[in-house]
Amino acid sequence: MNVRALLFLLLGVGNAFAQGFAGLGTDAKGFAVPERGRHLAFPQDHGAHPDYRIEWWYVTANLTGPDGADYGLQWTLFRSALAPGEGAAWESPQVWFGHAAVTSAAVHRATERFARGGTGQAGVTAEPFAAWIDDWQMAGDSLDRLRLTATGKDFAYDVAMRAEGPIVLHGEQGYSVKSAKGQASHYYSQPFFAVEGTITLPEGEIPVRGTAWLDREWSSQPLAEEQSGWDWFSLSFDTGEKLMGFRLRDAAGGDFTSATWIAADGTATPYGNGRLVATPVETSRVKGQDIPTRWRLTLPDRRLDVTVGALNTQAWMDLGISYWEGPVRVAGSHPGKGYLEMTGYGQR
Amino acid sequence: MTGAILSALASHWRRNRLQLLTLVLGLALATALWSGVQAINAEARASYDAAAATLAEGRFDQLMPPEGDAMPQALFVALRRAGWLVSPVVEGRLRVGGTAVRLVGVDPLTAPPGSAARAALARADLDRLVRADTLVAGPQTAALLAANLSNPVLVDQAVAPGTVLADIGVAQKLLGRAGRISRLIVLPDQPLRQRPLAEIAPNLLLQRADGATDVGRLTDSFHLNLTAFGLLSFAVGIFIVHGAIGLAFEQRRGMVRTLRALGVPLRRLIVMMVLELVVLATIAGALGIVLGYLIAALLLPDVAATIRGLYSADVAGTLQIRPAWWLSGMAMALGGALLASASALWRLARMPVLASAGGRAWALATGRTRKLQAAAAALLLAAAGVLAVTGTGLAAGFALLACLMLGAALALAPCLGAILRLGEARAARAMAQWFWADTRQQLPGLGLALMALLLAMAANVGVSTMVSSFRLTFVGFLDQRLSAELYVDAEAVADRAGLERFLETRSDAVLPIMSVDATLAGLRAEIFGARIGYTYRENWRFLDAVPAVWDEVEAGGAVIINEQLARRAGLSVGDALALGPGLSMPVAGIVGDYGNPIGQAIVGEALFRQAFPGVVPRRYGVRTDDPQGLRQALVEAFDFPPARLVDQAALKAFSLSVFERTFSVTGALNVLTLAVAAFAILMSLLTLAAMRLPQMAPVWAMGTTQRRLAGMEILRTVLLAALTAVLALPLGLALAWVLLAIVNVEAFGWRLPMYLFPAEYTRLMLFALGAALSAALWPAWRLARMEPAALLRIFANER
Amino acid sequence: MLLSIEDLRKSYLGPEGPVPVLRGVTLSLQAGETLALTGESGSGKSTLLHLVAGLDAADGGHVLLDGQEVTRLDDSGRARLRRSAVGIVFQQFNLIPSLDVAANIAFQARLNDTPEPRALSRLAGALGLEPHLRKYPEQLSGGQQQRVAIARALAARPKLILADEPTGNLDEATADEVMEQFLALVAETGAALLMVTHSPRLAARLGRQAHLSQGRLL
């Protein structure tokens, strides 16, 4: 899921950040680099890795209200380092960003928070697990039992998440390759959360329940230079099986795809470049640009042939960095629900 | 066939390089005008915003420590984690090379948008601020810092002198206050849910935003007006493009006739000419954008900084080329060219194959079109009149502007014609009579250029009036609201009487500021008590007032209200206003108020204390010649935190000096628009020159020297320019009036006073004449130096 | 002697160096005398006329007009000569388009500060221009325009009238009619006339004839 890395590195967050990252490009001077064969250890690796340039704790949830209406929920904590390592108080080179969103078929609401590491305003601890920025938090005794909260000017949510399956490692035991040139990240997920809680909107509180998917990824040299953006899918099928897949778009047209098929018991099967095929079939006008909001996904190895359509085509994250992220419905050989993220379409 | 047509079309340009040059330059200049004005407007906005932002430090609510001037940084984290969006500030005096500067440390990640600190820091990069310990300061202070400290220093014009901005971590280190902060800014937009403040930090004092210095409403209005003038410059540009294109087509009527006679299909010919135009317009547009940027860069005040801005982004607040300018500039060149060519192509398409090529000069309007034009002008101006009286809404305001400008432009030729006819009738001598008659004959040919001059001049008069009116209003408002040199926030002082006594003995005058929330005429409002003295009498300007307004208010017999209250409650001077039960008095004056959305009423101190005995002054304005000394004395005597003592005079002086930059910017606008209009005149004169020879040769043969004819050509151009400029003056004033008194009222609900600046108009007028004169010089010189043989050929050749 | 021309020379700069147009012309004209100047195209007829009128400067030789050495005059001197001593009628583009007929007729006389309203109206009457006095040149036919030019040239009462193919642009019938009126009026005012023409028939009607060929008088 290098998408986000690209976001930060290439688009930058506002002027200040863009300049701060300018010139860093895709090299990883001074930062630790993901290594093939590194064994991921838990709960330690649930915590922050300040020696790597970027990292995130990324939750997406597909929820349903009492009337059957669909809702999507996003909670993300990004860590981006100006330099490797930690420092005391304001001297910390770690910068934290939070993004939160609530999406219904009609309305998409999103907001963001910023913080510096070192003061306690934002951070992550592995045990007991807690990830927070300001009053937003994802915390619990362990990663299996979490409470997730966020507030914005015009929305808030507070939900409990309970893991009903194992953690899933992507790529080679959590080493996920992102380009033919070998750029990679450490990447694992917990896609088996059951969720229950409330979403608060200006109109009132809505009790919701459903499923959530947590992504964890960290890296320092995320994308090849010519890669311009990505389309990323996390799908949960009615059969209990799941699919994580992404397509990294190349300016020259040579797309790079990768997928992980997750059986209902959590057994993961990675599929390398070219096995998953993702084709846009319909675009919508979003913020003045055409964004693909209906896709065809095929994975012949699994006889998968589905269409993936946005619940709300206008799920644009119009924040310091902007991208499209929202819930989707899946139809075809494997019906289900999921989340879609697309970046690099609105180069601001 | 295409190749043959192309070579025929191109051959015209090869043989008439000057025409090609005027076409490309005309288009380029129109584009340059547009993109230059965009750049200048942006600079004007930036300068104004910097001035406003400096004043806006009190625009946010703040949380202050209960005593002393510091609190633990942990409070900041506790508040953030409780859902309170606050941003920490550490502030203190730092001695640098024997001078004390005010060091303000902020957290760029949490600072609210719109704060001066955020604006300044947004221009630097985070890495440099946070990790390279960079300091940001205005030019003088930056020099001081660079000479004495090892920190990297970034120069930013928008930072007040004597103030240094830095990342909060850097500032804590320099001030020796690790883990301590001075205050917290409360962001305007807070989340849906948060824990009560009393639960988290019960001791902190919430200091409400100080609305009095919020000039946001003035700022919005200023921006709207600049936008309107940007559009006006677009109109000037379109006129010039229209002229250039019209010429390019009309000059080739003969060739078109020949080509068609030889069997070239009309459709193909038109397509080729449009393509040719697109190519030329693209080249000219690109040229114009670069030119516009360079012109703006050269005309803008801080030339050195601007040039540096061309090569690196190191200096803050300099000119930048934005993609929007490129695009709109290109659109201007292409759209303008196509728009302008539409009518020429239409005429070309309708022209019979064998129409005479030279018989009717390109722009010699027939009597019928002249009448049509006059009728359209009359209609548009009448519509403007009707809109001015009966129109409501912003759209009507802009429609009024459009009618006025277009009507005036169309009316120009008929007006000038009438004036010239008058001159002709009164001319006694033969040459004089010929001069007037011939000048009138030039009108159609120079018409578009003169319209451009009219609009350019009117725009300049309008801009000067508008900006200068803004300035006077801004300055007047600041003088009125920030008249004291030092403001003392007395909230933290228990011994209020002692403080007052101290201030009385150390200053020229003490102005207690006390207010109470109230409901006046059914509207939310505040009542202020004022100690009326020379400060109020000298500084306050009224929109309307009785003669002895202050005496009546001081005696407790009358009240002053602000414009907002007057408009909303429908009150005029003399009307009675109930201030409370059994307390009603007449309105003695209405005062303009640009810093505050709600109603205000001002009464004398005695009456206020009597009516609201429980209210004590929150703040004191202090008049003194030595604000720094008094400040020091207060800090020592009452242990005042420096943040509670605002040196308003320094702040005001700085924001005014920044605002002054806006005026050099208007100067630049004047130069630019008039230069472009002058070029349009030059272009027209050069094109007309060949056509003029048959008109002048008989006069020459009849016994006049070429030099005298050349002199008369200059005089003619200057006369036309002068008449146009005179007509432009009322138009420009009307323009400013519509913007200030109609558009502004429709957009913002209050009227900006309009002031007149005769000296400025005279200067503009002279400048316009100078521009016309310089445009006329070269064609005249060519005429004076022409070989007689060239004139003689006129009489011999069939042309 | 009203006009005396002596060894007059003039060349123009062509693409391949100077082209001699007049190669030493000597000629004289008494007051009231009429002279027709004939010759092929390019023989220098018009140039001779222009040099006499002070419209151009000679390269060598002398032109003495009414006691004034024209070839020695500077630009403003020549302008003064044009408005006071000569009246010129060209083949075309004779009139000032921005002035009406009346103003055109009076123009040179007013320029010379010698307008005589009665003389002007007599001239207009003689040439049949009275109905057209308020019209502008572009509203007139070619013949009418040329009549206006003639009236203007005579209105200033010059001692010498210079005419360059004055009817060359008109159809034959109109040309004859205009020429009749022109010669009659010249005779009436007693001015001398130097007229360039290519028509031997016309030339024969004037007192003397001179023929130019390759820049020399034959």
Side-chain angles (χ1 to χ4, degrees):
Chain A
M1 206 164 52
N2 287 328
V3 277
R4 285 112 187 188
L6 186 78
L7 251 162
F8 286 121
L9 291 177
L10 297 185
L11 307 182
V13 182
N15 199 7
F17 305 114
Q19 286 184 17
F21 290 125
L24 293 180
T26 51
D27 75 38
K29 222 162 275 174
F31 288 98
V33 172
E35 281 168 48
R36 198 183 293 268
R38 180 185 188 276
H39 176 71
L40 299 187
F42 302 115
Q44 297 91 304
D45 276 326
H46 295 323
H49 302 79
D51 290 339
Y52 293 77
R53 180 180 286 143
I54 44 169
E55 182 164 18
W56 46 81
W57 293 255
Y58 214 114
V59 179
T60 52
N62 291 98
L63 306 172
T64 313
D67 57 351
D70 283 332
Y71 294 92
L73 174 159
Q74 181 199 343
W75 189 102
T76 313
L77 183 62
F78 300 98
R79 180 188 59 77
S80 175
L82 300 171
E86 251 310 355
W90 302 108
E91 292 194 346
S92 163
Q94 304 291 334
V95 175
W96 296 83
F97 314 88
H99 286 186
V102 167
T103 313
S104 70
V107 185
H108 174 80
R109 294 182 166 91
T111 188
E112 65 191 325
R113 296 289 177 86
F114 297 101
R116 301 256 286 273
T119 62
Q121 190 194 342
V124 177
T125 57
E127 196 169 18
F129 179 79
W132 74 93
I133 182 165
D134 294 344
D135 53 328
W136 303 3
Q137 62 169 350
M138 170 165 64
D141 296 337
S142 75
L143 202 73
D144 291 345
R145 295 252 186 295
L146 296 171
R147 184 176 166 211
L148 184 75
T149 63
T151 55
K153 205 175 135 186
D154 52 1
F155 73 90
Y157 55 74
D158 187 343
V159 298
M161 311 202 298
R162 196 179 69 250
E164 296 182 333
I167 281 172
V168 173
L169 307 181
H170 297 287
E172 299 172 35
Q173 295 303 304
Y175 180 80
S176 169
V177 177
K178 290 304 194 292
S179 83
K181 288 185 183 167
Q183 267 88 356
S185 65
H186 290 300
Y187 183 10
Y188 69 85
S189 303
Q190 168 47 282
F192 293 106
F193 282 116
V195 178
E196 195 173 347
T198 52
I199 293 174
T200 307
L201 297 177
E203 302 88 76
E205 293 198 346
I206 305 161
V208 288
R209 55 199 313 156
T211 60
W213 178 310
L214 164 71
D215 261 334
R216 284 277 296 118
E217 190 163 11
W218 63 97
S219 181
S220 293
Q221 28 110 261
L223 284 198
E225 269 174 40
E226 59 278 7
Q227 291 177 331
S228 61
W230 59 86
D231 311 298
W232 174 85
F233 302 85
S234 63
L235 309 179
S236 301
F237 305 118
D238 296 347
T239 57
E241 294 164 303
K242 295 174 191 293
L243 174 74
M244 185 289 295
F246 57 82
R247 176 179 85 143
L248 290 164
R249 298 192 304 279
D250 191 318
D255 293 345
F256 183 93
T257 66
S258 174
T260 304
W261 184 269
I262 304 165
D265 66 356
T267 312
T269 315
Y271 291 95
N273 186 17
R275 309 291 282 278
L276 173 76
V277 179
T279 321
V281 291
E282 196 178 305
T283 62
S284 301
R285 201 81 186 145
V286 182
K287 271 268 170 176
Q289 46 220 343
D290 292 318
I291 305 241
T293 47
R294 180 170 291 279
W295 290 76
R296 180 170 178 222
L297 251 59
T298 59
L299 182 61
D301 302 73
R302 289 284 171 181
R303 293 204 180 80
L304 176 87
D305 186 347
V306 292
T307 53
V308 173
L311 172 69
N312 179 342
T313 58
Q314 304 299 311
W316 186 251
M317 302 293 286
D318 194 9
L319 303 176
I321 48 171
S322 50
Y323 55 100
W324 194 101
E325 172 117 26
V328 292
R329 289 170 175 143
V330 186
S333 64
H334 292 66
K337 289 179 179 178
Y339 244 80
L340 166 61
E341 175 183 84
M342 295 177 286
T343 70
Y345 287 99
Q347 295 282 343
R348 290 205 289 160
Chain B
M1 173 163 43
T2 305
I5 304 172
L6 266 185
S7 73
L9 288 175
S11 72
H12 177 85
W13 297 129
R14 258 203 308 284
R15 304 240 330 153
N16 298 282
R17 298 222 172 106
L18 185 65
Q19 280 180 16
L20 179 63
L21 187 75
T22 52
L23 172 63
V24 172
L25 268 185
L27 271 170
L29 275 178
T31 314
L33 176 63
W34 169 249
S35 51
V37 166
Q38 295 307 303
I40 288 174
N41 263 359
E43 176 68 13
R45 274 166 208 228
S47 297
Y48 185 91
D49 290 348
T54 307
L55 289 167
E57 299 213 329
R59 209 170 70 189
F60 300 100
D61 288 354
Q62 310 221 2
L63 289 169
M64 312 293 286
E67 53 197 24
D69 60 355
M71 55 180 150
Q73 188 171 298
L75 269 177
F76 156 65
V77 177
L79 279 163
R80 289 291 301 203
R81 298 228 49 202
W84 279 84
L85 296 185
V86 292
S87 185
V89 177
V90 67
E91 189 175 348
R93 293 199 108 42
L94 183 69
R95 293 206 76 79
V96 181
T99 315
V101 296
R102 174 171 165 249
L103 176 61
V104 181
V106 297
D107 174 22
L109 286 175
T110 53
S115 60
R118 169 79 170 257
L121 293 178
R123 299 197 186 102
D125 73 62
L126 190 64
D127 197 37
R128 265 209 287 175
L129 278 177
V130 174
R131 304 193 350 99
D133 296 357
T134 302
L135 305 175
V136 185
Q140 297 100 331
T141 314
L144 178 75
L145 295 173
N148 292 288
L149 295 175
S150 61
N151 299 54
V153 178
L154 186 70
V155 180
D156 188 332
Q157 305 276 359
V159 180
T163 299
V164 180
L165 287 175
D167 179 66
I168 185 165
V170 178
Q172 283 180 344
K173 227 177 336 182
L174 285 172
L175 294 170
R177 292 201 209 170
R180 313 278 299 161
I181 56 177
S182 308
R183 54 196 161 95
L184 287 162
I185 299 172
V186 181
L187 273 64
D189 285 337
Q190 294 289 325
L192 204 57
R193 287 195 311 225
Q194 54 189 191
R195 279 165 56 205
L197 194 59
E199 255 178 50
I200 318 145
N203 293 327
L204 293 188
L205 298 173
L206 179 64
Q207 182 178 308
R208 286 285 166 197
D210 172 11
T213 52
D214 182 2
V215 289
R217 283 152 29 88
L218 269 180
T219 307
D220 291 344
S221 168
F222 189 71
H223 286 185
L224 180 76
N225 281 291
L226 279 181
T227 305
F229 281 112
L231 290 174
L232 199 60
S233 75
F234 185 83
V236 175
I238 285 284
F239 270 93
I240 292 166
V241 170
H242 194 277
I245 299 285
L247 277 175
F249 277 93
E250 294 289 346
Q251 282 156 349
R252 292 195 290 178
R253 281 170 77 105
M255 172 185 291
V256 169
R257 183 185 61 167
T258 309
L259 284 175
R260 286 188 62 195
L262 291 174
V264 175
L266 180 65
R267 183 188 298 257
R268 165 108 48 132
L269 195 59
I270 286 181
V271 168
M272 304 276 291
M273 290 182 92
V274 169
L275 281 180
E276 178 196 41
L277 193 67
V278 167
V279 171
L280 286 177
T282 308
I283 296 170
L287 204 66
I289 290 164
V290 174
L291 203 63
Y293 179 79
L294 288 177
I295 292 171
L298 286 174
L299 292 179
L300 286 177
D302 199 346
V303 179
T306 308
I307 299 298
R308 253 177 295 152
L310 281 172
Y311 299 104
S312 77
D314 201 34
V315 179
T318 53
L319 202 56
Q320 286 170 354
I321 297 190
R322 287 160 222 266
W325 301 347
W326 283 100
L327 286 178
S328 65
M330 255 352 221
M332 167 92 202
L334 279 171
L338 291 176
L339 191 74
S341 66
S343 69
L345 284 171
W346 173 247
R347 257 179 293 159
L348 216 58
R350 289 195 318 170
M351 185 174 80
V353 178
L354 287 179
S356 152
R360 207 178 72 94
W362 66 278
L364 292 183
T366 60
R368 194 163 151 268
T369 41
R370 262 208 304 273
K371 276 192 198 105
L372 261 173
Q373 194 176 321
L379 214 66
L380 283 166
L381 290 176
V386 170
L387 280 170
V389 177
T390 64
T392 52
L394 200 54
F398 278 108
L400 163 56
L401 269 186
C403 286
L404 187 63
M405 297 310 289
L406 202 58
L410 288 176
L412 178 64
C415 282
L416 288 177
I419 295 172
L420 293 173
R421 207 168 288 126
L422 214 66
E424 189 181 343
R426 284 161 179 252
R429 304 180 62 88
M431 276 308 268
Q433 189 191 2
W434 172 73
F435 175 80
W436 289 104
D438 196 59
T439 306
R440 194 150 59 84
Q441 200 180 32
Q442 299 319 306
L443 271 186
L446 285 171
L448 279 171
L450 291 176
M451 285 184 202
L453 179 67
L454 177 83
L455 291 185
M457 178 77 186
N460 286 345
V461 169
V463 169
S464 300
T465 307
M466 185 273 283
V467 173
S468 300
S469 294
F470 258 97
R471 177 164 170 261
L472 281 189
T473 308
F474 187 78
V475 172
F477 176 63
L478 288 185
D479 279 344
Q480 181 171 308
R481 292 304 160 112
L482 301 177
S483 44
E485 281 75 19
L486 193 68
Y487 283 84
V488 179
D489 186 343
E491 211 96 38
V493 177
D495 182 10
R496 208 61 67 87
L499 177 66
E500 271 193 50
R501 271 197 308 279
F502 180 85
L503 290 174
E504 296 282 3
T505 55
R506 296 293 202 100
S507 66
D508 301 338
V510 179
L511 310 170
I513 297 169
M514 42 199 174
S515 69
V516 60
D517 290 343
T519 302
L520 297 178
L523 299 162
R524 194 161 77 83
E526 292 169 297
I527 300 173
F528 277 82
R531 181 176 296 173
I532 289 145
Y534 69 96
T535 306
Y536 288 102
R537 292 175 191 273
E538 282 169 11
N539 290 313
W540 283 53
R541 296 196 185 116
F542 291 94
L543 299 176
D544 190 15
V546 299
V549 49
W550 287 117
D551 293 338
E552 291 192 16
V553 174
E554 189 172 18
V559 61
I560 292 167
I561 60 174
N562 69 355
E563 187 185 3
Q564 280 81 342
L565 186 59
R567 278 188 189 269
R568 285 181 207 147
L571 291 168
S572 332
V573 168
D575 292 350
L577 174 68
L579 294 174
L583 184 60
S584 181
M585 54 184 63
V587 173
I590 297 170
V591 68
D593 183 353
Y594 310 102
N596 152 42
I598 67 169
Q600 279 185 0
I602 297 154
V603 298
E605 184 184 4
L607 178 71
F608 186 91
R609 287 191 191 272
Q610 186 191 327
F612 309 100
V615 179
V616 291
R618 280 186 300 123
R619 298 202 303 158
Y620 295 91
V622 184
R623 302 302 308 266
T624 169
D625 295 334
D626 179 21
Q628 289 301 330
L630 182 59
R631 193 188 167 103
Q632 203 55 46
L634 276 167
V635 170
E636 281 160 17
F638 290 88
D639 195 20
F640 255 103
R644 295 272 163 88
L645 299 167
V646 182
D647 185 352
Q648 211 65 264
L651 207 59
K652 190 170 80 180
F654 172 66
S655 72
L656 284 180
S657 81
V658 177
F659 196 48
E660 289 301 323
R661 291 224 301 255
T662 313
F663 299 97
S664 22
V665 167
T666 353
L669 195 74
N670 292 342
V671 172
L672 192 57
T673 45
L674 283 177
V676 171
F679 182 81
I681 295 175
L682 173 66
M683 234 162 49
S684 307
L685 289 177
L686 286 178
T687 318
L688 287 175
M691 212 180 297
R692 298 275 295 133
L693 280 186
Q695 298 165 2
M696 287 189 294
V699 182
W700 167 73
M702 225 60 52
T704 322
T705 59
Q706 280 168 257
R707 200 154 353 125
R708 179 142 186 238
L709 284 176
M712 295 185 87
E713 286 292 284
I714 294 178
L715 189 63
R716 170 173 297 122
T717 308
V718 172
L719 174 74
L720 284 175
L723 291 175
T724 305
V726 167
L727 291 174
L729 184 60
L731 179 62
L733 294 180
L735 195 67
W737 180 80
V738 170
L739 281 173
L740 297 180
I742 293 187
V743 171
N744 210 67
V745 171
E746 294 298 343
F748 304 106
W750 46 274
R751 181 179 183 143
L752 200 77
M754 177 166 157
Y755 302 91
L756 296 182
F757 306 89
E760 177 66 14
Y761 304 146
T762 313
R763 203 181 61 81
L764 275 173
M765 193 89 74
L766 288 176
F767 190 49
L769 292 189
L773 180 67
S774 53
L777 279 180
W778 189 40
W781 182 81
R782 288 211 317 177
L783 176 64
R785 298 292 302 267
M786 188 176 279
E787 283 296 321
L791 284 162
L792 286 171
R793 265 199 297 276
I794 299 289
F795 300 115
N797 294 350
E798 224 276 73
R799 280 163 26 96
Chain C
M1 191 69 61
L2 177 68
L3 172 70
S4 144
I5 302 168
E6 209 173 296
D7 195 25
L8 194 60
R9 288 162 190 281
K10 176 74 180 176
S11 41
Y12 285 110
L13 208 59
E16 286 146 19
V19 182
V21 181
L22 294 178
R23 302 161 183 250
V25 174
T26 303
L27 182 75
S28 58
L29 201 65
Q30 303 281 359
E33 204 180 357
T34 60
L35 172 70
L37 199 56
T38 57
E40 307 98 62
S41 289
S43 60
K45 309 182 297 278
S46 295
T47 304
L48 180 62
L49 205 69
H50 294 158
L51 293 179
V52 172
L55 287 167
D56 208 346
D59 295 342
H62 303 279
V63 174
L64 203 65
L65 174 59
D66 199 18
Q68 277 195 82
E69 174 69 74
V70 178
T71 38
R72 291 238 185 98
L73 292 175
D74 63 0
D75 200 32
S76 56
R78 288 206 299 272
R80 199 180 321 114
L81 176 89
R82 288 201 297 274
R83 63 177 179 259
S84 60
V86 297
I88 314 173
V89 185
F90 292 103
Q91 185 175 343
Q92 69 157 9
F93 286 111
N94 236 336
L95 303 182
I96 299 165
S98 54
L99 297 180
D100 64 15
V101 167
N104 258 294
I105 295 176
F107 191 77
Q108 189 176 359
R110 288 176 62 198
L111 216 53
N112 196 32
D113 286 330
T114 55
E116 289 176 44
R118 259 183 309 167
L120 293 178
S121 67
R122 202 154 41 79
L123 271 172
L127 286 160
L129 292 171
E130 273 152 338
H132 307 301
L133 287 175
R134 288 292 144 220
K135 288 185 182 167
Y136 284 85
E138 61 184 23
Q139 296 165 300
L140 301 182
S141 71
Q144 287 164 340
Q145 289 195 25
Q146 216 48 336
R147 286 188 182 94
V148 176
I150 290 165
R152 182 183 59 191
L154 293 166
R157 305 204 144 262
K159 291 184 175 150
L160 176 62
I161 301 286
L162 298 167
D164 190 352
E165 304 265 17
T167 57
N169 248 11
L170 306 177
D171 65 77
E172 210 170 317
T174 313
D176 285 352
E177 202 182 311
V178 169
M179 188 55 74
E180 273 322 313
Q181 293 172 329
F182 177 43
L183 293 180
L185 283 168
V186 170
E188 195 186 311
T189 56
L193 171 67
L194 177 56
M195 181 166 80
V196 165
T197 176
H198 62 269
S199 154
R201 194 171 58 89
L202 255 180
R205 301 190 53 180
L206 268 57
R208 277 167 59 197
Q209 292 78 34
H211 188 77
L212 261 179
S213 178
Q214 300 201 334
R216 289 197 178 87
L217 273 183
L218 292 184

